[in-house]
């Protein structure tokens, strides 16, 4: 009787591997050795990107919250500080969803955060609203024109 080398186990393993490599370009989806390398590299990318996805979503939520806060004349950092002082434990995912889908509820949260900040704190001043601009518009120095004469240079 001829000697078998793994027999049906190898065939089953190969089929399982090629099934995972289905849709890959060229030899990556057809040849066992190349497919194995491609699937292993794909697993590495998947492992890495499951963690990256969490970071990316957190950045997106912070950006959305920050934009909503700027519309309400409070900076993101003052808003988060006010939330902590007020004892509000909503996470960034929920806050971003409120800012996007329920502005009135977000307004109430901002009001609570503002109330928790000490009086005289920059986040409590709502009179800094600038028509069509940001709260920082008056405090950011204007760009220097490169064609204008600079004092002290000749």
């Amino acid at each position: 009787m001829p000697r078998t080398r793994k027999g049906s186990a190898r065939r089953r393993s190969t089929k399982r591997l090629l099934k995972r490599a289905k849709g890959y370009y060229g030899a990556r989806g057809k040849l066992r050795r190349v497919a194995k390398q491609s699937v292993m590299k794909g697993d590495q990318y998947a492992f890495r990107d499951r963690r990256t996805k969490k970071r990316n979503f957190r950045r997106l939520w912070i950006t959305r919250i920050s934009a909503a806060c700027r519309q309400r004349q409070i900076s993101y950092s003052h808003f988060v500080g006010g939330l902590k002082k007020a004892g509000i434990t909503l996470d960034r995912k929920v806050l971003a969803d409120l800012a996007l889908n329920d502005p009135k509820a977000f307004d109430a949260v901002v009001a609570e955060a503002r109330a928790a900040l000490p009086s005289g704190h920059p986040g409590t001043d709502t009179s800094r609203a600038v028509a069509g601009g940001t709260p920082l518009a008056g405090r950011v120095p204007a760009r220097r024109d490169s064609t204008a004469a600079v004092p002290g240079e000749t």
Side-chain angles (χ1 to χ4, degrees), residues 3-151:
R3 181 173 76 91
T4 61
R5 293 172 58 212
K6 289 195 178 180
S8 61
R10 173 170 295 210
R11 190 166 44 257
R12 201 169 37 246
S13 168
T14 302
K15 279 184 74 170
R16 191 181 315 124
L17 177 70
L18 290 177
K19 187 176 180 183
R20 288 189 64 197
K22 191 172 183 175
Y24 286 11
Y25 185 80
R28 293 174 181 270
K30 291 178 178 58
L31 303 181
R32 185 179 201 284
R33 184 181 295 177
V34 184
K36 184 175 182 181
Q37 292 172 350
S38 299
V39 167
M40 284 174 61
K41 190 64 170 180
D43 289 344
Q44 289 174 352
Y45 286 139
F47 180 85
R48 179 196 69 189
D49 292 338
R50 278 195 297 274
R51 279 131 191 91
T52 307
K53 183 169 71 169
K54 293 167 182 59
R55 290 195 291 265
N56 288 342
F57 269 105
R58 184 180 167 95
R59 283 180 61 193
L60 173 68
W61 297 329
I62 289 173
T63 303
R64 285 179 176 172
I65 295 167
S66 180
C69 286
R70 289 284 175 198
Q71 289 175 344
R72 291 156 179 84
Q73 282 74 42
I74 187 171
S75 72
Y76 173 79
S77 59
H78 292 155
F79 172 66
V80 171
L83 288 179
K84 293 211 184 314
K85 286 187 175 143
I88 298 173
T89 57
L90 293 173
D91 62 2
R92 285 163 181 84
K93 179 180 177 180
V94 172
L95 288 168
D97 187 55
L98 280 177
L100 203 61
N101 299 321
D102 194 358
K104 290 187 179 181
F106 191 74
D107 287 339
V109 173
V110 169
E112 286 288 322
R114 257 203 195 107
L117 293 173
S119 61
H121 192 275
T124 59
D125 184 17
T126 57
S127 64
R128 295 185 304 137
V130 178
T134 65
L136 300 175
R139 294 187 282 167
V140 177
R143 276 181 124 171
R144 189 170 74 185
D145 187 16
S146 59
T147 58
V150 178

